[in-house]
Amino acid sequence: SPLNCSFQAMEREISAALDKGDPDEVLSSAFKLKVTREDISTLNKLCWLNDEVIHFYLSLLVERNKMKGYPSVHALSTFFYPKLITEGYPAVRRWTRGTDLFKHHFILVPIHLRVHWALVAIDMRKKTIKYYDSLGGNGDEICKTLWQYLQEESREKRNVELVISEWTLHSMKPQEIPQQSNSSDCGVFICRYADCIIRDLPITFTQKHMPYFRRKMVWEIIHQKLL
């Protein structure tokens, strides 16, 4: 059947991208980002996803959500949070030049914790800041830090004081969201969380879907299109 044949063609493309070759070869470029063969190789089996893959994938999600009927989304870079906590608001105030965070429904903040990825999703409509960690870590402090960032951004860019009592900060408990059962899939988990969150969908995938998601992400990144 044509479907089967296209499925096989996709599998071949995915395998070719994950195959040996020039590590510096650019396999996809968009959003002012480049993804090389070496970056793509982090989607293989049990590798840790790198910044480029996460950043590119979140950009694909943002792009998809520009379609009619989807909530609008802004994703901050993977380098944003480390910069904010080491150097404070002045170091990142220019990062939102040309974008008004407060006009978006969602802000996604990938959190790089040295050897682990987590995600914060800020829902501007519901005034919630939620921390998603596939190893069940507590993100209360991270939520607070990002609330303070929003407060400064609001003062600086539109002269409005945010009121903390109107906001809900919540670190998702391990029983509230799917958890990983190995030490390598955190990056894939945060990309999947993000995809569900910004479509207002329940988060229903599990660890067993990860090998499939990794291969799917390879195809989506190469084609700059979500399946």
Side-chain angles (χ1 to χ4, degrees):
S1 75
L3 190 68
N4 228 359
C5 136
S6 63
F7 178 72
Q8 284 166 343
M10 285 166 84
E11 277 296 329
R12 274 199 304 274
E13 274 188 289
I14 293 165
S15 297
L18 291 170
D19 220 358
K20 300 261 182 290
D22 175 4
D24 297 327
E25 184 191 345
V26 175
L27 297 186
S28 195
S29 66
F31 322 114
K32 300 187 183 142
L33 302 168
K34 283 184 173 50
V35 176
T36 64
R37 185 177 289 278
E38 187 173 6
D39 298 327
I40 283 282
S41 73
T42 69
L43 281 161
N44 216 346
K45 299 198 172 75
L46 292 174
C47 302
W48 275 336
L49 270 55
N50 71 1
D51 289 280
E52 282 68 28
V53 165
I54 301 255
H55 199 171
F56 199 93
Y57 201 78
L58 293 181
S59 302
L60 282 177
L61 294 177
V62 167
E63 199 57 34
R64 190 264 327 272
N65 269 50
K66 287 178 182 168
M67 287 178 358
K68 198 168 160 31
Y70 282 103
S72 80
V73 183
H74 182 74
L76 287 160
S77 147
T78 51
F79 304 114
F80 169 82
Y81 186 73
K83 189 90 173 155
L84 174 67
I85 52 174
T86 51
E87 297 176 47
Y89 179 75
V92 293
R93 70 176 273 273
R94 294 169 66 91
W95 288 41
T96 50
R97 236 192 16 243
T99 186
D100 179 352
L101 289 188
F102 300 92
K103 284 203 167 77
H104 291 286
H105 299 130
F106 285 108
I107 315 298
L108 297 175
V109 192
I111 306 288
H112 200 174
L113 302 163
R114 286 196 298 282
V115 293
H116 182 54
W117 288 105
L119 176 76
V120 170
I122 302 172
D123 186 334
M124 293 294 199
R125 306 163 304 180
K126 297 178 181 158
K127 297 192 174 171
T128 61
I129 300 178
K130 291 183 179 175
Y131 176 79
Y132 295 78
D133 188 327
S134 52
L135 284 177
N138 181 302
D140 289 343
E141 286 307 310
I142 293 173
C143 290
K144 239 179 259 170
T145 301
L146 287 170
W147 192 84
Q148 284 156 353
Y149 163 76
L150 273 190
Q151 170 72 285
E152 299 206 56
E153 182 80 353
S154 182
R155 274 183 200 143
E156 177 81 21
K157 307 278 168 80
R158 47 179 210 157
N159 217 354
V160 173
E161 285 288 319
L162 298 186
V163 183
I164 187 80
S165 60
E166 294 174 359
W167 285 75
T168 306
L169 279 51
H170 178 64
S171 182
M172 301 296 274
K173 306 277 184 294
Q175 60 276 16
E176 292 181 281
I177 50 172
Q179 298 287 290
Q180 66 187 96
S181 56
N182 61 23
S183 59
S184 52
D185 280 330
C186 51
V188 188
F189 268 83
I190 72 160
C191 290
R192 302 318 313 158
Y193 291 151
D195 185 27
C196 296
I197 293 162
I198 63 174
R199 289 192 287 165
D200 294 318
L201 293 174
I203 300 175
T204 54
F205 62 84
T206 67
Q207 173 69 55
K208 69 172 192 287
H209 298 108
M210 291 300 126
Y212 162 72
F213 281 140
R214 282 176 175 270
R215 292 184 75 78
K216 178 172 172 283
M217 285 171 73
V218 171
W219 191 92
E220 291 172 322
I221 289 172
I222 298 171
H223 288 271
Q224 298 162 20
K225 177 166 118 205
L226 297 172
L227 287 166

